[in-house]
Amino acid sequence: MLGVSRDAGQDEIQRAYRKLARAHHPDINKDPGAEEKFKDVSEAYAILSDPDQRRRYDAFGSDFRRVPEDVDPDMWARSRAGAAAGAGRGGPYATTGGVHPGGFGEDIDLEDLFGGIFGGGRRSGGRWSTWSPAHGADQEAEIEISVEEAYRGTRRTITLDRPEGRQNLDVTVPAGVTDGQRIRLAGQGGSGETAGDLYLVVRIAPHHRYRVEGRDVYTDLPLAPWEAALGTTVGLQTPGGEAKVKVPPGTSSGRRLRLRGRGLPNPRGTPGDLFAEVRIVVPPEPSETERRLFEELASESPFDPRRS
């Protein structure tokens, strides 16, 4: 999804994500499929930015959310290879969907290969007498939080509709969670010999002040013309509180001033940055003195913005 190799480092992954996120962001790209592509790219980045999720993805591929935590990756690979070999020979093979009516070839010990993963039934005379899925279905739901909550963490109470009735769960959303990241609630998914997991997909709600890309946060920095021309230091509201921004002399609209580490925190590494995008604002109703000074500046200055 990100177009990077399996052994890509975090810097390469982040660069690829930023490039694709900018290209497909719904605020920029109005193509019908851009928003879905943006979500997919964000999800891929969230997985590969989390060491535990990346380890499991490397081990189990796209099945990594369905495989129980205690499964050995080598056993999983052997079981997949064994099942594929059985299918290729045209013989009957086990599936997790139920009891297969045929016998099993003696050259593949499916009890060894599958038993540790699925906890399948006993084999008798080359046949499975029962087949009970050991792991209930994993389930998924979305939870929406604000940018400020993503920065400092928060708690939510969610309601689950169970066969036995409704159940309320208190969920801790950790500080530094990113859009599209999943929070795993072990054992809260579908029922089975062992219950599946419930994954809460975090969605960061649109904000009137901030735009979030990965862990980086973007915000406007309004400046008066004289502040941009002469340079200044101004206060800027960030998700973590007010920060001071030094504006160099001669700053124009559209310039981005970076505040390192003032984006979303990262519990396992480097936090994101905050980018203040300069927007020069003129007085909507200049006073007589302001108008006179602007006219004086216009007559004295040789600067032509259309030729610079």
Side-chain angles (χ1 to χ4, degrees):
M1 186 61 66
L2 295 179
V4 297
S5 62
R6 179 172 288 273
D7 59 352
Q10 284 302 316
D11 288 344
E12 182 181 353
I13 290 171
Q14 188 176 64
R15 286 196 299 271
Y17 165 73
R18 288 178 174 175
K19 180 179 179 180
L20 291 171
R22 283 195 297 268
H24 298 288
H25 196 284
D27 291 344
I28 299 173
N29 191 334
K30 301 304 181 182
D31 290 344
E35 183 174 2
E36 195 63 32
K37 180 76 171 179
F38 177 78
K39 291 179 179 179
D40 290 341
V41 167
S42 298
E43 178 183 357
Y45 178 66
I47 291 171
L48 296 182
S49 298
D50 185 310
D52 291 335
Q53 290 199 78
R54 178 171 181 173
R55 173 182 57 79
R56 288 181 55 78
Y57 183 83
D58 287 342
F60 305 114
S62 58
D63 291 319
F64 79 102
R65 291 194 182 94
R66 299 192 296 109
V67 180
E69 291 286 344
D70 57 352
V71 170
D72 178 71
D74 292 336
M75 179 178 288
W76 172 262
R78 291 198 303 271
S79 70
R80 295 294 293 272
R89 287 192 298 273
Y93 56 93
T95 69
T96 58
V99 181
H100 195 283
F104 290 95
E106 294 302 322
D107 55 332
I108 299 175
D109 190 343
L110 290 175
E111 186 169 11
D112 288 343
L113 293 181
F114 286 96
I117 297 177
F118 299 116
R122 296 186 303 276
R123 190 175 63 169
S124 175
R127 299 171 62 93
W128 286 88
S129 58
T130 60
W131 183 266
S132 300
H135 195 65
D138 290 342
Q139 297 175 342
E140 191 174 275
E142 289 193 353
I143 182 172
E144 188 175 74
I145 63 174
S146 67
V147 177
E148 292 87 352
E149 288 173 327
Y151 182 89
R152 64 177 181 267
T154 186
R155 291 183 65 83
R156 283 284 195 277
T157 299
I158 63 172
T159 301
L160 303 178
D161 288 322
R162 302 291 197 190
E164 62 274 14
R166 290 195 166 187
Q167 176 187 5
N168 291 330
L169 287 179
D170 291 328
V171 179
T172 298
V173 180
V177 69
T178 56
D179 189 72
Q181 189 169 336
R182 284 171 161 81
I183 299 174
R184 175 175 170 262
L185 302 180
Q188 299 298 332
S191 59
E193 290 182 17
T194 59
D197 299 331
L198 173 63
Y199 289 88
L200 294 181
V201 182
V202 175
R203 295 301 178 195
I204 298 180
H207 198 282
H208 68 282
R209 180 181 292 129
Y210 307 119
R211 188 177 83 253
V212 180
E213 294 184 8
R215 296 189 187 280
D216 293 335
V217 178
Y218 295 79
T219 187
D220 286 343
L221 177 60
L223 293 176
W226 48 90
E227 291 177 321
L230 303 176
T232 186
T233 299
V234 297
L236 177 67
Q237 191 64 34
T238 77
E242 186 176 88
K244 296 297 183 181
V245 182
K246 185 175 182 180
V247 180
T251 294
S252 296
S253 281
R255 182 172 182 176
R256 288 180 175 175
L257 305 176
R258 179 164 65 174
L259 282 69
R260 293 184 183 274
R262 296 305 294 260
L264 297 184
N266 185 353
R268 295 183 176 89
T270 304
D273 299 328
L274 186 137
F275 293 89
E277 299 180 336
V278 172
R279 184 166 57 89
I280 296 176
V281 182
V282 301
E285 297 180 3
S287 66
E288 288 298 323
T289 300
E290 287 172 329
R291 180 179 294 278
R292 178 177 54 79
L293 291 174
F294 275 124
E295 290 172 348
E296 183 177 343
L297 176 63
S299 64
E300 293 291 334
S301 176
F303 176 67
D304 184 348
R306 288 163 295 283
R307 289 194 299 176
S308 62

